[in-house]
Amino acid sequence: MNLAPLLERWNALERRLRIGIGAAACASVVIVAVALLLGRDTRVALFANPLKPDQLAETDAQLSAWNVAFAPSHDNVRVDAGQRSTLLARLALVGVPHAHVVSTSEALSSVGTLTPQAILDAQARAGLEGDLEKGLRGLGGIADARVIIAPARSGLFADESPTPASASVRLTAEPGATLTPSTLDAVRAFVTSGVAGLDAAHVTVVDDRGAYNGREQDDAWDREHALQSALDGAFGAGTTIVRVHIERNAAATESHDVKRSPDRQDAISRRDLDERFSGEKKSYSRRATTEDRGSDVHEERTTLAVGALARVSIAVIVDARRSLDVEKIREVAAAAGGYDPRRGDTLSVEAVAFERPYGAAPQPFAYALGVLGEAIPGVAFAIMVVVVVRVAARPAFVFLSETVRRMRLERETPSSASSAEEIFERLRGEPPHVVAAIVARLSAPLATVVLELYPLDERRAIVARLARKPTRLIAALDAETFVR
């Protein structure tokens, strides 16, 4: 490749044009470097250990719900390095991701044709337990579940009775959620239907606080749910917290009440006492009179069995930051919670400022500021591109146009033309630097004749272009040596 013609054309350009083209090239390099720097991924892996597909999907869903920027991979999530510790703490508080449990397909994937039947049954049972645990997550406020299945076993001896299949379920409720009796019945029915030959009476459900028995639960959960739903509907969700406690009789009690009411407005009975003493006759007399006018007798006997409702305690906590009417909330709580002061029920409504560690929805100004901060790099890059194009477009277009036209003239102008007039006619109207580049390729006699055909002013401009000195680098090396 011969660079001598290109260097000659470059030197033939005006100084202002060369400066513009060089500035445009430098600006293009800077823009590309900035774009590569801004586009470089500086995010780090969120978890130290790889995630399973179900754990990865759960983490992606939670981060999307929090509107956190992340980049998922096949076994992990990449987030901003400055947010990694905070996100790990928040995910730990909400229990995400859950521990991976083996499903039936995973448990039986390693089973071969020579696998013993006992191991095959154990693997199938472990897979079934994992399927039930995944199905229970998120049901009625259940954050996580652990299921253990004990298969049915026939008696080994003639006098030994068979043991039916049984199951144990350990539940973990979501923060602030309460497992109602209906939820526990649903859990028991779900496990019973998932295990062949399992009776609902042989399913034990427990949580972090102890054993559950949905049939023996009182209506505290129903009252609390009804009252919470009423307050959320009237004043908005998240403005109140409701807790209901019910006390029941530990022993049977009986009360007997007898009431008498008079037939008339007078008293039911009257008693008179008349005492007299005479000093002359030395005598003493005493007379007592009792009068009963009749009455209506009302006799009432009340018997409270063991476990009967004795008292209801209702506590309602109101967010003080919302400036709600506490008296109206008290009236709603009394009506929806079944408050009865004659029974000795208690109702407490207090306004307390709620603690919200992660804040509410972002304010419009903060949201707009965040969007602006994310858009600044793109806007700056676009402005830089517009400026570079505005500055360098015209010089670059002029340079390309002159180069194409010069190449066309060099291709059309013979280097050994027999007529100087023919060359002059082809170069008529061309600028001095283009004529100088073409004339420099002609022989000295022919170039002299061509120059003589130009007027004096144009000839001086062309000769000035021919007399321009090359740069030191080109003066020291010829074109072929420079290319090598």
Side-chain angles (χ1 to χ4, degrees):
M1 180 178 180
N2 189 5
L3 294 181
L6 294 178
L7 293 176
E8 184 179 354
R9 295 167 191 165
W10 174 259
N11 294 328
L13 295 177
E14 297 180 1
R15 186 170 182 273
R16 180 175 59 83
L17 188 60
R18 289 187 295 174
I19 293 176
I21 296 175
C26 294
S28 302
V29 173
V30 172
I31 291 174
V32 172
V34 172
L36 293 177
L37 183 62
L38 294 177
R40 186 168 57 93
D41 189 6
T42 59
R43 289 172 287 196
V44 297
L46 181 59
F47 297 97
N49 298 323
L51 300 178
K52 297 294 183 179
D54 55 339
Q55 295 176 322
L56 183 61
E58 188 177 8
T59 304
D60 291 352
Q62 187 62 57
L63 293 179
S64 300
W66 287 341
N67 197 21
V68 176
F70 67 94
S73 60
H74 68 284
D75 61 352
N76 213 321
V77 176
R78 299 180 64 83
V79 297
D80 184 44
Q83 296 182 348
R84 182 174 181 271
S85 301
T86 303
L87 291 177
L88 287 176
R90 293 181 64 181
L91 290 174
L93 290 176
V94 298
V96 175
H98 289 93
H100 176 67
V101 292
V102 180
S103 60
T104 301
S105 58
E106 294 182 62
L108 298 180
S109 61
S110 60
V111 174
T113 55
L114 300 180
T115 303
Q117 185 63 35
I119 297 179
L120 184 62
D121 294 341
Q123 293 281 18
R125 187 166 61 253
L128 179 59
E129 292 173 353
D131 294 338
L132 293 175
E133 291 171 8
K134 290 182 179 179
L136 290 176
R137 290 175 180 173
L139 173 65
I142 299 176
D144 201 358
R146 183 73 176 93
V147 180
I148 300 176
I149 300 175
R153 186 181 62 179
S154 59
L156 297 178
F157 302 98
D159 57 347
E160 184 178 359
S161 59
T163 302
S166 61
S168 299
V169 183
R170 183 180 183 274
L171 303 177
T172 301
E174 295 179 353
T178 301
L179 301 182
T180 62
S182 59
T183 302
L184 302 177
D185 292 340
V187 171
R188 188 176 287 104
F190 182 80
V191 175
T192 302
S193 302
V195 181
L198 180 61
D199 190 1
H202 298 149
V203 178
T204 303
V205 183
V206 300
D207 74 337
D208 297 336
R209 296 174 295 177
Y212 268 109
N213 190 344
R215 296 301 179 185
E216 297 179 359
Q217 288 290 326
D218 52 30
D219 61 346
W221 313 112
D222 297 334
R223 291 173 182 259
E224 183 175 311
H225 177 71
L227 179 54
Q228 186 71 68
S229 301
L231 293 178
D232 290 345
F235 304 101
T239 59
T240 58
I241 299 175
V242 178
R243 293 294 181 266
V244 177
H245 176 68
I246 290 182
E247 296 181 7
R248 297 188 177 275
N249 290 330
T253 58
E254 181 179 356
S255 60
H256 183 206
D257 186 13
V258 178
K259 295 182 179 180
R260 297 179 61 195
S261 57
D263 292 336
R264 298 175 296 178
Q265 295 182 358
D266 299 336
I268 295 177
S269 61
R270 185 182 67 178
R271 182 179 181 183
D272 295 335
L273 180 61
D274 185 11
E275 292 181 333
R276 296 181 181 183
F277 176 73
S278 178
E280 296 179 355
K281 298 180 179 182
K282 306 294 184 181
S283 63
Y284 170 79
S285 63
R286 182 176 183 275
R287 186 177 65 178
T289 303
T290 302
E291 182 181 3
D292 193 341
R293 296 185 177 89
S295 62
D296 291 336
V297 179
H298 177 72
E299 184 176 354
E300 182 179 356
R301 292 179 181 272
T302 304
T303 302
L304 298 178
V306 179
L309 181 62
R311 187 175 66 175
V312 178
S313 300
I314 304 174
V316 181
I317 305 174
V318 184
D319 190 358
R321 300 175 182 175
R322 304 294 294 271
S323 301
L324 300 178
D325 192 343
V326 178
E327 292 301 325
K328 290 185 178 180
I329 294 178
R330 187 185 303 275
E331 296 176 3
V332 174
Y339 172 70
D340 187 1
R342 297 174 299 177
R343 189 173 49 201
D345 296 352
T346 60
L347 174 60
S348 175
V349 181
E350 299 293 339
V352 179
F354 286 3
E355 179 67 23
R356 303 184 185 275
Y358 302 115
Q363 298 297 325
F365 177 75
Y367 182 79
L369 187 61
V371 173
L372 181 61
E374 294 181 358
I376 284 177
V379 173
F381 180 76
I383 293 176
M384 188 177 298
V385 170
V386 171
V387 172
V388 170
V389 171
R390 180 69 178 243
V391 173
R394 185 177 179 83
F397 179 76
V398 172
F399 174 73
L400 293 177
S401 300
E402 295 293 342
T403 303
V404 172
R405 184 167 54 179
R406 188 180 304 171
M407 293 175 62
R408 177 175 56 82
L409 291 174
E410 291 178 356
R411 184 174 61 254
E412 295 177 356
T413 303
S415 59
S416 58
S418 58
S419 174
E421 288 77 6
E422 181 181 358
I423 298 176
F424 175 75
E425 290 297 330
R426 292 186 179 183
L427 296 179
R428 183 185 296 274
E430 297 295 336
H433 62 276
V434 175
V435 177
I438 300 301
V439 171
R441 299 173 59 88
L442 303 175
S443 60
L446 183 59
T448 302
V449 176
V450 172
L451 290 176
E452 290 294 336
L453 297 176
Y454 279 92
L456 182 60
D457 296 339
E458 295 184 13
R459 188 190 313 161
R460 290 178 179 177
I462 297 173
V463 172
R465 292 286 181 176
L466 291 173
R468 179 174 295 178
K469 295 182 179 180
T471 60
R472 296 182 179 180
L473 177 62
I474 303 302
L477 300 175
D478 60 320
E480 295 182 358
T481 307
F482 180 75
V483 172
R484 290 196 300 270

